[in-house]
Amino acid sequence: MKTKLLRAMLPLLVGWFGAVAYWIGAGPTEDPAATADVAIVLGAAVHGDEPSPVFCERISHALDLYEAGRVGHLLFTGGRSAADALAESEAAGAVARDASVPADTILIETRSRTTMQNLRNAKAIMDLEGLETAIIVSDPLHMRRAMEMAETLGIAAQSSATPTTRYRSWRTKAPFLLREVYFMHHFWLFGE
């Protein structure tokens, strides 16, 4: 009986997870002319005191948004692991300062470890600084979950996925997509 039930449910489960993967892969709709008070740059790994290639793509895209006048501030998120010399956000802030972004337009939070924590801490900083709107910057496959979380937190946000990504081939995209399918369900079930 259980075997029959499992066999009957398998196509439904495969269809469900396939639909969620497609929805994530399609990403949220983006407005290429959107403007906001701040770009929230979701953290990614650093190696010592250098942003990883994935994080460099996010930082570079945020700098482009700033230079284009689409955002007035850059808010970098991400804490520090025991193996790193700087928090993710501190490493990103250093890159922005080296790119001649004025220090008074760079904001950082250094405690978060997850996407939800990135956004929760960013919202607290936005509230403190009187910033009302945001453009969230991350990788294309990460944007759907980030935007769902931002909406839950009450952040008035648009999405702006990096136009280039380190995840180019199916070999690198597939594990990231599977991870996002898992974490989307985790968010739906547990709110984190």
Side-chain angles (χ1 to χ4, degrees):
M1 183 69 168
K2 287 182 181 179
T3 305
K4 283 184 179 182
L5 181 62
L6 287 175
R7 266 191 245 155
M9 289 184 61
L10 188 60
L12 294 173
L13 289 172
V14 169
W16 170 257
F17 287 114
V20 171
Y22 177 80
W23 178 69
I24 289 169
T29 303
E30 294 189 7
D31 177 357
T35 61
D37 297 330
V38 63
I40 299 173
V41 184
L42 299 179
V46 296
H47 305 298
D49 62 355
E50 295 293 322
S52 66
V54 168
F55 201 20
C56 283
E57 298 289 335
R58 296 178 189 183
I59 296 164
S60 176
H61 186 51
L63 292 172
D64 289 344
L65 294 173
Y66 179 80
E67 290 298 320
R70 292 183 54 197
V71 296
H73 292 80
L74 299 174
L75 198 167
F76 297 108
T77 65
R80 181 176 77 84
S81 74
D84 297 319
L86 293 175
E88 295 166 6
S89 56
E90 292 171 326
V95 171
R97 283 188 302 279
D98 288 347
S100 301
V101 176
D104 63 343
T105 63
I106 299 171
L107 304 166
I108 63 169
E109 73 77 26
T110 59
R111 297 173 308 175
S112 63
R113 296 263 189 209
T114 66
T115 301
M116 182 58 99
Q117 289 173 3
N118 287 165
L119 291 166
R120 189 176 291 125
N121 294 346
K123 172 82 165 98
I125 291 171
M126 286 177 65
D127 291 345
L128 187 65
E129 296 289 329
L131 303 170
E132 297 178 0
T133 58
I135 293 177
I136 297 177
V137 175
S138 192
D139 292 271
L141 293 176
H142 189 212
M143 288 307 306
R144 183 67 79 174
R145 182 165 58 99
M147 294 305 293
E148 291 284 308
M149 290 177 166
E151 183 178 340
T152 298
L153 293 169
I155 299 172
Q158 298 275 334
S159 66
S160 188
T162 57
T164 56
T165 180
R166 303 303 284 184
Y167 304 105
R168 294 184 182 132
S169 69
W170 257 114
R171 193 169 150 207
T172 57
K173 283 183 182 179
F176 191 13
L177 180 59
L178 290 174
R179 179 181 174 277
E180 284 301 311
V181 169
Y182 169 80
F183 279 114
M184 182 63 80
H185 284 85
H186 188 271
F187 169 64
W188 285 335
L189 292 171
F190 304 109
E192 179 68 33

